[in-house]
Amino acid sequence: MTRIVIAGGQVFDGTGTPAEAADVLVEGGQIVDVGTGLDGDVRVDATGHTVLPGLFDCHVHLLFDSADLVRSLNTPFSLPFYQAIGNMRATLDCGITTVRDAAGADLGVAEAVRQGLVEGPRMQIAVNMISQTGGHNDSWMACGAEIPQLLPPYPGMPGGVADGPEELRKVVRSMIRAGADVIKIASSGGVMSPRSNPRHAHLRDEELAMVVREAEAAGIAVMSHAMSGDGILAAVRNGVRSIEHGVFLTVEAIEEMCSRGTWLVPTLLAPRMVLGQADAGVPVSDVVLAKARTVVAEHAASFRAAVDAGVRIAMGTDSGVGPHGDNLTELTLMTQNGMKPAQALHAATRSAAELMGLREELGTIEAGKRADLVLVEGDAEQHVLDGTLKDAIRAVYQDGRKLR
C-alpha cells in the first residue's frame, strides 16, 4: 500500500493539546504514525499549514437548503435527493467529513454514500423528527392545509407525529426499522413550524421516557430539538443524549445537563440563516421571522452560560434551514460567544466524535484512527476567529483519500 506522509505542518490533533510541529503518516485509510521525521512513498508538503482532524457537523439536513416554502411547494418530490449531492459536496468542501442528519435523509441517501455511489460525509441519520400533534413536525397550517416542512411520509420515511407513550413506541420502532441511527424528537416548539411556540414544552415525561427506552433497547441515542427551558429540562431528566439548539436554557437545566453529561449542539447559525434569507428576499412568513428575531439574542446568552458552566458542547449548524457550505461560520459564532478557537475546533472534532459514539475511530489525529484530515493554510485557530477558515482549506482527506 502507498504510504502518504503529510509533513512539515502544525498538527492540531484534537486531544486538547496545543498544535505542534509533526508529520502524519497515512496508509490504507488509517493514520499509522504521528511524529517528526516520518517518511513515506508520497510526501505532501504541509509547511506553513495546520493539519486538523476531519470536522463534524452534528446537526444538518442534507436534503434541504432553504426556508422558502413557496419554492418547496413548486419542487418535484424527487428533486431534493439529487440536490443533496451538491449539498454533500458543499459540506465536504468545508472539511466536514462526518455529519448527523437530523431529519430528511433516508436510508437510501446514507447507503448511497456508504456504497460510494456519491461522495459525501459519512452520516448518522434520524430519518424523520418525532413530535406531538401541534408540535415542531406537525405540518398543519392555519388555512387547514397540511404542508410538510420536510418530506411527506413515503416508503422509507415514516410519519413523525404521535401522541401518548404507545403511539410513540410504534413511531420510534418505525424509525429504527427505516434505518435511523439516532432518534430525533421535539420536546418544544420551534421557529420554522407554523403553529408551535419555541417557549412551550412538548411531550410529557411518560412520553419522553418511552422514546428513550425504545431507543436504548435498539442501542441508539435520542437527540432532542429543545428550545424552551421546560422542554430542555424534561428531555434531559428523561435521558436524551443531546439537546439541539438550547435557546432558552435555565440555570436548573444547565445544572442538570452538567450532572448527567448531556450534550448541547447549539446551532447558533440556524436563526441567523432564516433572517439572512429574509433579508435576501426569500419569502418567510411574519410568524417565523418574529420567532427568529426573538431567538437570536436569547440563544447567544444561553450558549455563553453553557460554556461558562462547562456543559459538553458539540458543533452543529442546522444547515438545510439555509444553504450548505457556510457551516464553519458556526465556529466563529462560538468564539464570539465565549469559546476560545481551540475549544470551538475541539467541539467540531473530538467532542463531536464522542457525542456520535465515534471516538474510537475519528475526531483526533492519532495512530489507529481513520485518516480524515483537513489541511489549512496558516493558523487554523486565527482563521476561526476571523471567519476565514473555509477559504484557507487546501485539502480534505476522508479515509486517506483526497477529496479536494
Side-chain angles (χ1 to χ4, degrees), residues 144-281:
E146 294 204 22
I147 303 173
Q149 293 182 74
L150 301 172
L151 290 169
Y154 63 88
M157 180 63 63
V161 176
D163 300 288
E166 290 308 316
E167 280 190 17
L168 285 159
R169 183 201 300 272
K170 186 164 187 176
V171 170
V172 171
R173 290 178 176 178
S174 296
M175 295 299 171
I176 294 166
R177 179 179 65 183
D181 304 297
V182 60
I183 296 298
K184 184 186 180 184
I185 60 170
S187 62
S188 81
V191 169
M192 297 299 295
S193 43
R195 301 296 299 165
S196 74
N197 188 328
R199 291 185 180 274
H200 291 172
H202 290 176
L203 301 177
R204 304 285 76 80
D205 283 336
E206 62 272 20
E207 294 174 311
L208 293 165
M210 177 65 81
V211 169
V212 172
R213 186 158 63 246
E214 287 299 319
E216 288 179 345
I220 61 178
V222 178
M223 59 192 293
S224 181
H225 161 101
M227 292 188 170
S228 79
D230 289 345
I232 295 167
L233 188 57
V236 173
R237 285 180 172 168
N238 281 284
V240 305
R241 184 161 175 79
S242 67
I243 295 296
E244 312 297 305
H245 316 304
V247 173
F248 303 111
L249 278 170
T250 63
V251 171
E252 186 180 8
I254 288 173
E255 289 175 350
E256 196 74 15
M257 291 178 75
C258 289
S259 173
R260 293 175 178 266
T262 310
W263 292 86
L264 173 65
V265 180
T267 69
L268 295 169
L269 185 57
R272 291 167 172 83
M273 287 191 289
V274 175
L275 296 175
Q277 289 180 82
D279 290 342

Side-chain angles (χ1 to χ4, degrees), residues 51-70:
V51 186
L52 301 175
L55 303 175
F56 285 68
D57 189 330
C58 297
H59 193 124
V60 301
H61 300 279
L62 290 170
L63 261 73
F64 312 101
D65 61 7
S66 174
D68 189 341
L69 180 59
V70 174

Side-chain angles (χ1 to χ4, degrees), residues 97-117:
T97 58
T98 305
V99 301
R100 195 172 54 161
D101 190 284
D106 65 11
L107 183 59
V109 175
E111 281 298 313
V113 174
R114 292 166 188 164
Q115 295 180 26
L117 300 178

